[in-house]
Amino acid sequence: MTYPVKGQCQCGSVSFLLKAPPKMVIACHCKECQKLSTSAFSITCIVDAEAIEISGELKETSRVAESGNVNLGKFCPNCGNRIYQINPEAPEVIKFKAAGGLDNTSMIVPTTHVWTSEKQSWVIIPPDVQQFTKQR
């Protein structure tokens, strides 16, 4: 895998450039991520803020997580694709949500599954992958 890797949201209004491999790839099975992804779980790539460039207009939403942390989400105002999330207390860490929009997605292999206590029963997690019943 060579970096940087380009990508864009579904409509192309927001583009991004991932300049380094994710530090971690997480599959989250919590009910909020099921709503966000409209699927059984969402994928999050943890990256340093300086490892990603994002261009285009973004809108934001926020919610308070069970931990008490603020989860600030940025999304494309045209197609609605979630691009990333941050905790405003730790803006140096980007929770990149739009990895499916990268031109090459081969690095998007979850190394950790969180909130498995809320996962869909039909989802099978490989036994050698780290799992947490709640947030890590």
Side-chain angles (χ1 to χ4, degrees):
M1 179 85 219
T2 52
Y3 290 87
V5 179
K6 294 179 184 179
Q8 62 185 15
C9 66
Q10 190 171 25
C11 73
S13 296
V14 177
S15 60
F16 28 87
L17 186 69
L18 184 61
K19 299 186 274 186
K23 296 168 80 170
M24 177 182 269
V25 179
I26 300 169
C28 182
H29 299 266
C30 78
K31 294 298 182 190
E32 290 300 319
C33 280
Q34 290 179 35
K35 290 176 188 176
L36 172 68
S37 68
T38 67
S39 188
F41 54 88
S42 74
I43 298 291
T44 301
C45 295
I46 305 298
V47 299
D48 291 326
E50 66 267 4
I52 192 163
E53 291 178 17
I54 299 168
S55 302
E57 179 188 353
L58 295 171
K59 293 221 173 183
E60 68 181 42
T61 184
S62 68
R63 68 176 182 84
V64 177
E66 183 179 279
S67 65
N69 291 332
V70 173
N71 198 350
L72 182 67
K74 301 281 190 164
F75 63 95
C76 173
N78 296 315
C79 67
N81 277 164
R82 179 69 57 104
I83 306 302
Y84 70 94
Q85 294 174 184
I86 61 166
N87 175 347
E89 302 278 326
E92 69 280 1
V93 177
I94 301 289
K95 300 172 208 165
F96 183 52
K97 303 296 287 181
L102 291 168
D103 292 347
N104 182 340
T105 57
S106 63
M107 85 297 279
I108 311 304
V109 179
T111 55
T112 302
H113 288 251
V114 297
W115 282 98
T116 58
S117 60
E118 295 184 0
K119 81 173 185 62
Q120 297 295 315
S121 62
W122 53 265
V123 173
I124 308 299
I125 300 171
D128 61 333
V129 174
Q130 191 172 36
Q131 300 180 46
F132 296 92
T133 56
K134 290 198 168 205
Q135 185 65 39
R136 181 175 167 218

